[in-house]
Amino acid sequence: MKFFVDTADISAIKELASMGVLDGVTTNPSLVLKANRPFKDIIKEICEVVDGPVSAEVSSIDYDGMMREAAIVRKIADNVTVKVPLTWDGLKACKALTDDGAMVNVTLCFSAPQALLAAKAGATFISPFIGRLDDAGLDGMQLIADIRQIYDNYGFETEILAASIRSVNHVRDAAKIGADVCTVPPDVLKSLVKHPLTDKGLDQFVADWKKTGQTIA
């Protein structure tokens, strides 16, 4: 499984990239608002840090507007992935952009039929939102399983990018089902390393080492 980080915080991205655990980055208008910096500057700086796909979302909701904005963001760097909403115009833009060689992330997916249409339109990535479905009393992880089965049935190459990740369990379950990518907030990604028994064991080893009276030098 590939790990993308879902943030526009360049310091968090640099830290994760330096550890070798980062395969890409996703951003959205809400994250850009939180970063409080010019959109194109944010995307350019992220692309300089990360070699993998960096999702930059268009703001227009009509086809012509999406295509105009896509032309602009594609010039920022070669690893920019144009992010479009899962609407009729978004799918039209996805088809046109992928035919022109662009990477496209189709976002705001909440059903398997939507994901099927995105794959037919040539999407590089489909972003089903797990957490938001869970919030609505539905089963977000079942959507990942449904998409995985459909894509495997027909040999679609679109990668399942599990989004709206809220917990370590979300990451575990998405990996078990076979999502190609998880895009994870920095705090959740860091929490993957944590386990109380690891902490307990380390405390014991540290205490026992002190009792030996030795140093490694």
Side-chain angles (χ1 to χ4, degrees):
M1 170 181 276
K2 288 180 275 191
F3 282 134
F4 290 2
V5 64
D6 193 34
T7 187
D9 181 346
I10 192 65
S11 61
I13 293 168
K14 286 180 177 178
E15 179 186 10
L16 294 167
S18 70
M19 296 176 63
V21 300
L22 199 58
D23 300 294
V25 176
T26 55
T27 67
N28 60 47
S30 298
L31 294 172
V32 172
L33 175 64
K34 186 177 180 180
N36 194 29
R37 293 178 54 204
F39 169 72
K40 287 189 283 187
D41 290 351
I42 292 171
I43 300 303
K44 183 176 186 296
E45 189 169 3
I46 294 173
C47 288
E48 290 172 351
V49 174
V50 178
D51 293 330
V54 176
S55 287
E57 189 163 345
V58 297
S59 62
S60 293
I61 60 173
D62 64 285
Y63 171 79
D64 290 336
M66 290 181 198
M67 294 302 293
R68 283 194 301 269
E69 293 173 1
I72 294 169
V73 299
R74 289 177 68 186
K75 292 178 182 178
I76 296 174
D78 291 339
N79 55 326
V80 163
T81 299
V82 182
K83 198 172 182 184
V84 301
L86 213 164
T87 62
W88 199 247
D89 281 357
L91 292 176
K92 288 170 63 178
C94 174
K95 173 61 175 172
L97 290 166
T98 54
D99 282 352
D100 194 42
M103 293 186 290
V104 179
N105 178 357
V106 179
T107 191
L108 293 171
C109 174
F110 294 98
S111 77
Q114 286 181 319
L116 178 57
L117 285 175
K120 295 283 287 183
T124 313
F125 303 102
I126 182 68
S127 289
F129 277 39
I130 296 170
R132 294 195 192 186
L133 281 169
D134 289 351
D135 292 345
L138 302 172
D139 188 347
M141 208 54 65
Q142 183 60 51
L143 174 59
I144 302 297
D146 290 345
I147 297 171
R148 180 76 279 158
Q149 180 178 351
I150 290 169
Y151 282 10
D152 288 347
N153 282 349
Y154 300 103
F156 288 118
E157 296 182 0
T158 298
E159 295 190 37
I160 301 172
L161 196 164
S164 189
I165 296 287
R166 305 281 176 78
S167 68
V168 170
N169 287 345
H170 274 166
V171 176
R172 178 200 64 200
D173 292 344
K176 288 172 64 178
I177 291 168
D180 300 287
V181 188
C182 267
T183 186
V184 188
D187 59 336
V188 175
L189 188 52
K190 288 182 179 180
S191 69
L192 296 178
V193 76
K194 296 179 182 178
H195 195 283
L197 291 180
T198 300
D199 295 338
K200 183 178 180 180
L202 182 59
D203 289 343
Q204 180 181 343
F205 289 160
V206 169
D208 288 346
W209 179 252
K210 286 181 179 180
K211 293 175 183 178
T212 70
Q214 300 181 49
T215 61
I216 302 175

